[in-house]
Every structure is written in C-alpha cells, then in structure tokens.
Amino acid sequence: MSSSLTIPTSRMLKFLIVAVLLGACSAFVMPPKIPIKDAQAPPTPCCLPKQFEGNLHIITGTVQAGHGELSNVTARQSYDYTNMMMATEVLRPTNVRIIDDYNRMMQYVIMQGQCTATKITTKFDNCPFSNATYLGSFYFGGMQGLMMDGYQLMVPDAGTATVDVTRNGCIPVTSVTVSQSGATNPSISAIGYVDITLGIRDPAVFNVPHPLCPSEPDSKMPSTGFGLGRL
C-alpha cells in the first residue's frame, strides 16, 4: 500500500524533508556506488536496448497543497522501440495498465474497468544520452559489481534526471528525477530497474482494449507514465 506523510512546516522545508525521506528509502533501491578513481575519457553515449522488460520500484516524494507525501509503487514495464510501444502495469498499490502508442502518439490508462485516452506530447527517444551530461563511471555494488556510466539530462515537462546505465548493454539500473525549479507541486522520484530481460515475451501487453478505450483523446487530461520512455 502507498504511504503518505504530512509535514506541517514551511513549503521549502517540507520539500527538503521529503527529499531526505526519499533518499533514506531509496537506499533500499540503489546500493552504494564506488567511483572509478582513474581518470577516463567520457564513453560514447549509448542507446538503450530496442526491446526489454523488467520491474520498476518507484519512490516519489511530492508537495501538494502545502502537504508532503511519499508514495511507493511497484510496476512491470515492457519497452519496445522497434514497434514504438511501451506498456506499464502498476502492480502495487493499485492495479493500473498504461499503454503508450508512439505510432499514434496516444496513451491509454485502464483502471477499474474504465479507459481514458490522452495525447502524448513527448517523443520516444531510444538514445536519450546523446545530449546528456556525462557524470562519471563507477562500479555498482562493489569492485566486482557492474561497470556503470552516469548521465544527467533534462526531461520535458518533468525536470532534471540522473540516470545510471550499465557500460555493457546500456541497461538502465537507477534514475532520479527532480522537478523543475518553481514547479507548482515540487517532486523527486527515484526508480530502481530490476529483473531486466531483453526482448518482449508477450506482445499482447501492448493490445489496447476496444471498444473500452476511446479512439480520440481527452484534451483535458495530461499523459502520465514511468521509466525511460519518458526521457
């Protein structure tokens, strides 16, 4: 179940406290990093695998209407750049299916027997690090751990993201996104990617249920989503 925390202090202090809480919780999502001491030239920015699936553990701290909140979400995501599709199934705390069809630039959210359709306004970028800032390389989890590269980049309509990917294969492992300065509802979100496998086991995850889902978007609702498809 998701958890919520109310912090009765000034708005900025609330945001800082939520961020500290998030950092404490994300320690369970992201093991320690050991920087590589020897100076290295920045690697050539990699592109994500064109098809992969895995589980996402998402911890988000937000400030809304003067109250700080902390949420914990577990989801299953299928990423298919070849066919320009992404599917996310939220497993906890509430079951929700999110299907992003980048061929039609449409997003479908299926929950409790209802479906809403919205227009996607961000592109599906398989190589989001081409214009990112290289932060450095490190071993993830110890000297015998994974060789990783860290990048920082701007996420449209979201803020600044710090993303760590494996040197071998460009597999996402962690990402932390901080909302834009001056955002109405400040937020910080940490995602841990686990049990990643290449390919799409069952393409049916991208099937949009009709006639449940409308063919035209509801312009009054913004699209949503998690993961690297949003970079």
Side-chain angles (χ1 to χ4, degrees):
M1 297 294 293
S2 62
S3 57
S4 176
L5 179 66
T6 301
I7 309 167
T9 57
S10 68
R11 185 175 184 185
M12 181 57 67
L13 183 57
K14 293 171 190 173
F15 181 54
L16 293 174
I17 293 176
V18 169
V20 170
L21 288 172
L22 178 60
C25 293
S26 62
F28 296 97
V29 177
M30 296 175 281
K33 307 172 183 179
I34 298 180
I36 297 174
K37 296 181 180 180
D38 297 333
Q40 292 186 349
T44 300
C46 63
C47 294
L48 299 169
K50 291 189 175 181
Q51 293 182 324
F52 66 91
E53 297 178 305
N55 295 326
L56 279 60
H57 298 299
I58 308 152
I59 300 174
T60 302
T62 59
V63 176
Q64 295 186 4
H67 298 286
E69 296 183 356
L70 191 67
S71 67
N72 192 336
V73 173
T74 300
R76 174 78 179 170
Q77 190 166 87
S78 299
Y79 177 106
D80 188 348
Y81 186 75
T82 300
N83 295 298
M84 299 299 287
M85 300 287 290
M86 188 169 70
T88 307
E89 181 179 8
V90 177
L91 305 174
R92 291 193 301 268
T94 303
N95 186 260
V96 181
R97 288 182 63 206
I98 303 172
I99 301 173
D100 293 320
D101 183 347
Y102 285 90
N103 300 288
R104 302 187 63 229
M105 296 302 288
M106 291 280 287
Q107 180 185 88
Y108 305 91
V109 178
I110 302 99
M111 180 173 60
Q112 297 179 345
Q114 296 184 336
C115 178
T116 58
T118 57
K119 202 71 175 175
I120 296 175
T121 58
T122 55
K123 68 177 182 177
F124 197 14
D125 191 355
N126 185 238
C127 303
F129 311 118
S130 58
N131 295 315
T133 300
Y134 170 67
L135 299 179
S137 300
F138 54 89
Y139 290 105
F140 191 81
M143 296 305 294
Q144 301 302 316
L146 290 172
M147 177 70 159
M148 307 282 293
D149 296 315
Y151 295 93
Q152 187 176 75
L153 63 158
M154 294 300 298
V155 183
D157 302 323
T160 303
T162 300
V163 184
D164 298 328
V165 296
T166 61
R167 173 68 62 85
N168 182 17
C170 202
I171 305 295
V173 176
T174 66
S175 68
V176 176
T177 302
V178 179
S179 62
Q180 298 171 342
S181 176
T184 302
N185 298 314
S187 67
I188 180 170
S189 180
I191 303 178
Y193 300 81
V194 299
D195 297 330
I196 300 293
T197 58
L198 299 181
I200 302 298
R201 183 170 56 182
D202 183 7
V205 297
F206 303 115
N207 291 347
V208 177
H210 291 296
L212 178 64
C213 292
S215 57
E216 296 298 325
D218 183 346
S219 60
K220 297 179 180 180
M221 297 184 61
S223 59
T224 185
F226 310 102
L228 292 178
R230 289 290 160 187
L231 297 184

